[in-house]
Each structure stands twice: as C-alpha cells, then as structure tokens.
Amino acid sequence: MSDHINGTTNGTTNGANGHDYDYESKSFLHSSHFPGFGTHAAHHGSDPDKWDFSPIVPPISLSTTFKQSAPGVVPKYDYSRAGNPTRTAFEECLAKMEGGTQAMAASSGLAATSLIINLLKAGDHILCCDDVYGGTNRYFNKVVSRFGVDVDMVDPTNLELFESKIRDTTALVWLETPTNPMLKICDIKATVAMVERKFAGKEKPIIVVDNTFASPYFQRPLDLGATLVMSSVTKYINGHTDVCMGVIVTKNEDLAQRLRFLQLAVGPAPSPFDCYLALRGARTLHLRMRQHETNSLAIANWLETGEKSKYVSKVIHPGLPLIHNTSWLNAK
C-alpha cells in the first residue's frame, strides 16, 4: 500500500519536513536488535531429530492420552491438557523468540491472562495501565475484582503518578506497550526500576507486559526486566486470522512451574491443531511485521501531512515521532 501513496514507489513518501522518507531502509525499529530472529522463528522447537522419523515440519499429535510403561510411571506426556508434543514445539519456539526459557500456551490471550491472575490470592492488588485491551479491562474490573483482588488503572506514561498508586499489597503490575487502542508507549525499564526500588528488601510484585501489539520481533520485555510477557497469539504471532491462542513466556523457573501446574489444574489448553497453525504463522512473523511497519508508518505520515490533514484532527502512531525527532524513539 505504501508504494502507491502520493504516487511514490519503494515505500518512500514525503516526510513531515517535506523531504522524502524511506520507510523500508529507515525502519524505526529493526530486526538487528535481535540477530537471528528469523532463523530462530523458522527452526527452534522444530528439530527433526526429536522424532524417530525426522520430519522437517513437526507432526500434529492428536492423542489425548499416552501409554505409561507401568502403573504410576508418568512419561513426559500423559494427558494432553498437561502437555502435548505439538504444543511443546510451539512453546519452545515462542520462548526463544521472546528471549525467555519457558513458554506456556493457552487457548486464547485472555486464557493466558487468567492463568497469570490465578497466581494471586484475595487481598492482593493489581496496578494496571489505564489504556489496556478491552478484554483485559473487562476481566480485571468485572470478574477479578469480585474475588477480593483490588485493581487500579493508572496512566503508565506518568511514572510519578503510577508509582503513587503502588501499595504494600501490590502483587502484580500489568503493562501493555504500545497500549490498545491509544498506542501509548510505556517505559518498561524505568517502571521495573521503580518497582524494584519501592520493594527493595521485600518480595517484589510480578511485572507482566502484554506484548501483543509490538510482538517479540520489535520488543523483548524480559530483556528489560519484566517477569512475564504474554501475548495474544491470535493477532500478529499467528497472523492468519484462523487461530485463537495466547502464550506466556518467562525466565523465572519457579513461576514457570507454577504456571504449568495451572495449565493442568485450570485447563485452558490450546488444541494441537491450533498449535501447529500458530507455529506455522510464527515462522513468518519477522517478514510480516516489517511490512506492517512500513505500510502503517507511510499511511500515518500521509494522513498527517498535506491537504487531507485538515480532515484529520490527530494521527497516533508510535513511529511518527521518529520522523519529527529521531532522538525520541531511540530514548524509548
């Protein structure tokens, strides 16, 4: 689409300053932040030698139960709610893509969110950003709040205000960046530092980042200090509008074991076929996200400039500040 705006070619159009801006070569976020991303997406979790017959594409394992060598001797897989070979391939791939060590897949993004919330107890407090996915807002305020868990929704871009809402009972800090729908950019690293300072010498809250909009191609919250990163796989990671799934990734082995227990105990397991489709989709994430970026930035800049801008009151896009001020996004 960017190739045809204002009659331009090769993803180039007039920037806000009147000069040509090449969106493809001056990508405001770039895969070089995470070298080898495409290779990991294509191969991690899909080692043919995991299987006796060496398939290049992991098979779809539909069995719900698995043979035990003897009564009470539990093999790696025993019941598909607890684990499945196809799901394992997807989880290993996503853990690598997010820079984590463990991944737990769920039947939707909200199912993944519910697994995380099941780590809490009555009397705990959630500090959440004010602009957040509507399903998360609804779940926190109309469901979770009924079980004795307090929720505050605060602007995360005002770090002083955000800090003022932390309580001694804060057990979970929930960030989303860019936020849905207003595309606010949260400073993950600064927020993590603030939480660590507030809870120095104490048990720290779990810091979760919903990475659905950015995807691991553009952003790795675990590298910035987050405890957990979750995504709605339904959106960019799968990318083909044919799977409803979610995923949680972490480097914290204790939390990973607790979440795996909840996968079994609560039961929001994705189907093997959905895991197969999502793994297929993840292999092209790096290609799709670069094109999404190029197209959306060209459209945003086109709407903001020229004659048509008089019909548009405001254009919101995380990359526009780069065109106006290159230091802005670098600082972020």
Side-chain angles (χ1 to χ4, degrees), residues 252-280:
N252 186 308
E253 297 299 319
D254 176 64
L255 275 179
Q257 290 307 309
R258 291 168 63 189
L259 287 164
R260 289 202 184 281
F261 170 78
L262 289 169
Q263 276 183 310
L264 172 65
V266 179
S271 76
F273 189 64
D274 283 350
C275 292
Y276 167 82
L277 290 175
L279 180 59
R280 172 216 60 182

Side-chain angles (χ1 to χ4, degrees), residues 27 29-34 37 97 211 214-220 285-287 289-290 293:
S27 171
L29 291 165
H30 198 273
S31 59
S32 61
H33 286 297
F34 313 120
F37 185 93
M97 291 167 71
N211 204 29
S215 86
Y217 174 77
F218 283 138
Q219 178 174 266
R220 285 185 176 172
L285 179 66
H286 59 298
L287 302 174
M289 294 309 290
R290 288 197 70 164
E293 175 193 10

Side-chain angles (χ1 to χ4, degrees), residues 35 41 56 123 211 241 247 264 299 305:
I56 299 300
N211 204 29
T241 323
V247 70
L264 172 65
I299 292 169
T305 59

Side-chain angles (χ1 to χ4, degrees), residues 9 20 61 233 278 329:
T9 59
D20 285 346
S61 176
V233 176
L329 200 68

Side-chain angles (χ1 to χ4, degrees), residues 81-97:
R81 186 173 69 242
N84 172 279
T86 313
R87 189 169 99 198
T88 297
F90 171 77
E91 289 175 337
E92 289 177 351
C93 182
L94 263 292
K96 187 69 173 181
M97 291 167 71

Side-chain angles (χ1 to χ4, degrees), residues 4-258:
H4 302 287
I5 293 176
N6 288 340
T8 60
T9 59
N10 299 324
T12 304
T13 189
N14 288 332
N17 56 8
H19 300 297
D20 285 346
Y21 191 86
D22 185 346
Y23 298 97
E24 292 184 356
S25 66
K26 297 180 181 178
S27 171
F28 71 88
L29 291 165
H30 198 273
S31 59
S32 61
H33 286 297
F34 313 120
F37 185 93
T39 301
H40 293 313
H43 297 291
H44 206 80
S46 301
D47 183 1
D49 293 333
K50 292 167 62 175
W51 317 90
D52 292 340
F53 53 101
S54 303
I56 299 300
V57 176
I60 305 171
S61 176
L62 296 175
S63 181
T64 58
T65 52
F66 300 82
K67 180 182 176 181
Q68 297 185 8
S69 60
V73 179
V74 180
K76 180 176 181 179
Y77 303 104
D78 63 340
Y79 191 61
S80 60
R81 186 173 69 242
N84 172 279
T86 313
R87 189 169 99 198
T88 297
F90 171 77
E91 289 175 337
E92 289 177 351
C93 182
L94 263 292
K96 187 69 173 181
M97 291 167 71
E98 284 282 8
T101 58
Q102 300 284 339
M104 286 64 61
S107 55
S108 70
L110 274 173
T113 300
S114 72
L115 284 176
I116 295 170
I117 298 305
N118 270 283
L119 294 168
L120 306 183
K121 63 184 185 303
D124 284 343
H125 171 244
I126 299 172
L127 180 57
C128 179
C129 48
D130 61 341
D131 184 43
V132 69
Y133 167 57
T136 305
N137 191 324
R138 179 178 58 237
Y139 176 56
F140 282 3
N141 288 293
K142 295 191 175 182
V143 179
V144 177
S145 60
R146 294 169 48 223
F147 293 92
V149 175
D150 293 330
V151 181
D152 277 325
M153 314 285 284
V154 185
D155 182 1
T157 64
N158 185 337
L159 201 55
E160 185 177 346
L161 175 62
F162 202 72
E163 180 176 355
S164 72
K165 299 299 182 179
I166 285 184
R167 309 179 191 176
D168 291 338
T169 56
T170 301
L172 186 73
V173 175
W174 190 280
L175 299 177
E176 188 177 291
T177 181
T179 63
N180 180 356
M182 298 306 294
L183 300 178
K184 293 180 181 180
I185 301 296
C186 310
D187 192 328
I188 299 171
K189 196 170 184 178
T191 303
V192 169
M194 178 271 290
V195 171
E196 290 181 344
R197 184 181 70 252
K198 291 283 286 188
F199 286 85
K202 306 175 186 176
E203 184 177 357
K204 296 177 177 62
I206 298 168
I207 301 174
V208 182
V209 176
D210 183 336
N211 204 29
T212 299
F213 266 21
S215 86
Y217 174 77
F218 283 138
Q219 178 174 266
R220 285 185 176 172
L222 298 179
D223 291 350
L224 301 173
T227 322
L228 301 174
V229 57
M230 67 78 56
S231 292
S232 172
V233 176
T234 313
K235 313 304 190 303
Y236 291 129
I237 291 174
N238 176 62
H240 291 78
T241 323
D242 53 9
V243 167
C244 188
M245 268 182 67
V247 70
I248 307 164
V249 181
T250 187
K251 296 179 181 179
N252 186 308
E253 297 299 319
D254 176 64
L255 275 179
Q257 290 307 309
R258 291 168 63 189

